[in-house]
Amino acid sequence: MANMTESTIEKREIKAFLDKDNSTLNTFRTLTLFGKNAATYKFALCHALLNQNGQNSELRYEDLKEDFLRELVRHYENNPHQFSRRENSLTREIDLYLASDKTTSDWTKLSAVAGKNIFNDVFRAYQNVGSGTLANSHLLFEDQRTHKKITMTDRLLSVLENPKAKQIINHENQARWHIVEEAWRSGLAANMLSYNKEDGLFYSENENLRIGLRSAVDTLLPYQNGRCFYCNREVSKFVLSHCDDFADVDHFFPISMVSRLGEGVPNPNGVWNLVIACKKCNRGQDGKFDAPPTREYYESLVTRNILFFEEHKHSLKNAISLSLNAKNKLEIISRMQNVYHYFKPLAGWQPAITFHVED
């Protein structure tokens, strides 16, 4: 492991996202949202780690291989775009396995090839974000490559002992995995994602085909650290829909108002205008409904959309760029100001109570 005491993450927006919340859950989110990928190994490794019980802090690479490989093959069978380069020795072996009778012998052969490929860099690269890496205080494990094993830190062990945290991370990891698959399936082609209120999914506006994302909630909530965009209450899609902390998809600028602004205004169902709100803020007695929020929330939305733009060539970056017709951060700010000026004279809505997160 590199001897580092401070984070070397260079992009200030990503570092601010990591530093905002010292929880292990936020560390997972930072790695999942902003790490660079040449293959989806990172998501398969996250899946394999979450399958551990935490009883042993040391794990051999071999201990993780079965969970890692089976999940990778499951995704590959549904969508063979798991690598930025379409073909390598592992993909060829997976193709042979999927075309076989899938006997124990066939799996053993695939496993032998995988063992020579999948663990070359995945542990070393997993905790990198962009061109930087996490500080020691945030690390989930130490990679002892010469011994082909890892030592899990207390941060990771605490998650493995927490079923709720494991459930959240697993859902967010799978949602993000689908985003990367979709980006590679379309050759990183830009696609403008549009939200469908009827089923809660994103669709491709260009092709009218369903994008391979779990849901808008799974996709957007990690950027908000699992909390309501407005009141900061912890929210979940796993609670009953009548509960105050149920996760709703909200149009920041009311769709009824944006639709009347005429040509040149971005699609109000686009990712740029969607946030996750608790039920109480979105449609409770004192909820937002069709009111535009105050300026502080507008500024938070701009920051969030810039975070999308910091992704490594994934679908949300493309969606933001297309829907706002923006090629850089300054243009994102400019395009959003063009929308905001219509709402600026109005008295903005804000929640009656704001929840604070303890350090």
Side-chain angles (χ1 to χ4, degrees):
M1 181 184 68
N3 183 23
M4 299 181 183
T5 58
E6 296 183 0
S7 168
T8 59
I9 298 173
E10 296 177 355
K11 294 184 176 180
R12 60 184 178 86
E13 292 89 356
I14 297 176
K15 190 173 186 308
F17 180 88
L18 175 64
D19 292 343
K20 185 177 180 180
D21 183 344
N22 190 44
S23 70
T24 305
L25 188 56
N26 192 47
T27 299
F28 267 102
R29 285 172 170 147
T30 302
L31 296 174
T32 301
L33 295 174
F34 304 111
K36 288 187 176 181
N37 304 299
T40 57
Y41 290 169
K42 176 177 70 175
F43 306 108
L45 177 57
C46 181
H47 172 84
L49 288 172
L50 292 176
N51 274 353
Q52 303 306 306
N53 56 28
Q55 294 179 356
N56 189 352
S57 63
E58 287 195 348
L59 291 172
R60 298 174 303 149
Y61 289 1
E62 192 70 20
D63 297 331
L64 294 162
K65 185 173 70 172
E66 185 76 6
D67 286 333
F68 182 108
L69 184 57
R70 287 201 180 278
E71 188 66 4
L72 182 65
V73 171
R74 185 180 75 84
H75 272 259
Y76 183 94
E77 186 172 14
N78 294 325
N79 186 339
H81 300 87
Q82 301 297 318
F83 309 85
S84 55
R85 295 182 179 181
R86 171 64 183 86
E87 186 174 302
N88 57 39
S89 59
L90 179 57
T91 63
R92 289 191 290 271
E93 201 60 42
I94 295 177
D95 288 335
L96 289 173
Y97 171 75
L98 293 175
S100 72
D101 294 330
K102 301 180 183 178
T103 64
T104 301
S105 176
D106 294 325
W107 180 261
T108 300
K109 184 179 178 182
L110 169 61
S111 182
V113 173
K116 297 177 183 178
N117 290 273
I118 59 179
F119 293 136
N120 289 341
D121 297 301
V122 64
F123 291 107
R124 181 175 57 184
Y126 181 78
Q127 299 180 100
N128 290 345
V129 180
S131 57
T133 191
L134 297 177
N136 284 353
S137 58
H138 280 83
L139 291 179
L140 302 176
F141 57 79
E142 297 180 22
D143 180 22
Q144 301 179 46
R145 189 171 183 179
T146 56
H147 300 291
K148 294 187 177 180
K149 67 179 183 179
I150 65 171
T151 300
M152 295 186 286
T153 65
D154 289 342
R155 292 178 71 87
L156 177 53
L157 290 171
S158 68
V159 165
L160 298 183
E161 297 169 357
N162 185 335
K164 180 181 177 181
K166 289 175 69 172
Q167 181 187 46
I168 292 171
I169 294 168
N170 178 61
H171 276 267
E172 293 181 357
N173 181 61
Q174 291 293 337
R176 192 64 178 176
W177 195 337
H178 282 293
I179 291 173
V180 176
E181 288 173 326
E182 170 58 29
W184 289 345
R185 185 197 66 78
S186 58
L188 298 180
N191 47 62
M192 199 180 303
L193 303 183
S194 183
Y195 173 64
N196 185 326
K197 185 177 181 180
E198 298 303 316
D199 57 17
L201 295 170
F202 282 119
Y203 287 78
S204 167
E205 190 173 273
N206 295 338
E207 302 175 23
N208 197 30
L209 294 174
R210 182 171 298 177
I211 298 301
L213 307 183
R214 286 294 177 91
S215 72
V217 173
D218 288 329
T219 305
L220 300 175
L221 193 56
Y223 288 93
Q224 299 173 203
N225 301 107
R227 295 182 173 274
C228 172
F229 189 82
Y230 304 111
C231 74
N232 210 36
R233 177 202 305 268
E234 188 173 358
V235 296
S236 172
K237 71 174 191 178
F238 301 111
V239 299
L240 296 176
S241 60
H242 67 268
C243 296
D244 285 345
D245 55 347
F246 181 78
D248 269 347
V249 179
D250 175 56
H251 292 81
F252 182 90
F253 292 112
I255 190 170
S256 59
M257 300 176 73
V258 176
S259 300
R260 297 198 298 265
L261 297 181
E263 295 183 3
V265 176
N267 173 13
N269 279 312
V271 176
W272 72 277
N273 190 40
L274 299 176
V275 298
I276 306 302
C278 69
K279 174 183 170 290
K280 187 168 185 177
C281 279
N282 193 34
R283 48 197 170 101
Q285 183 177 353
D286 299 317
K288 173 178 173 285
F289 294 100
D290 280 346
T294 58
R295 183 176 180 87
E296 66 174 299
Y297 296 107
Y298 161 73
E299 292 173 350
S300 295
L301 182 67
V302 173
T303 299
R304 196 283 311 268
N305 285 343
I306 289 175
L307 271 176
F308 284 164
F309 204 74
E310 293 293 358
E311 291 182 341
H312 182 60
K313 298 180 179 179
H314 295 159
S315 294
L316 295 186
K317 176 175 183 176
N318 295 332
I320 286 292
S321 180
L322 261 187
S323 61
L324 293 176
N325 190 27
K327 300 180 180 64
N328 53 53
K329 299 175 191 178
L330 291 178
E331 290 187 358
I332 289 175
I333 296 170
S334 175
R335 301 295 187 271
M336 292 194 65
Q337 284 178 337
N338 289 342
V339 177
Y340 180 67
H341 89 271
Y342 289 106
F343 298 90
K344 190 175 180 179
L346 303 178
W349 172 89
Q350 61 184 13
I353 299 176
T354 301
F355 292 82
H356 298 281
V357 182
E358 295 183 1
D359 295 332

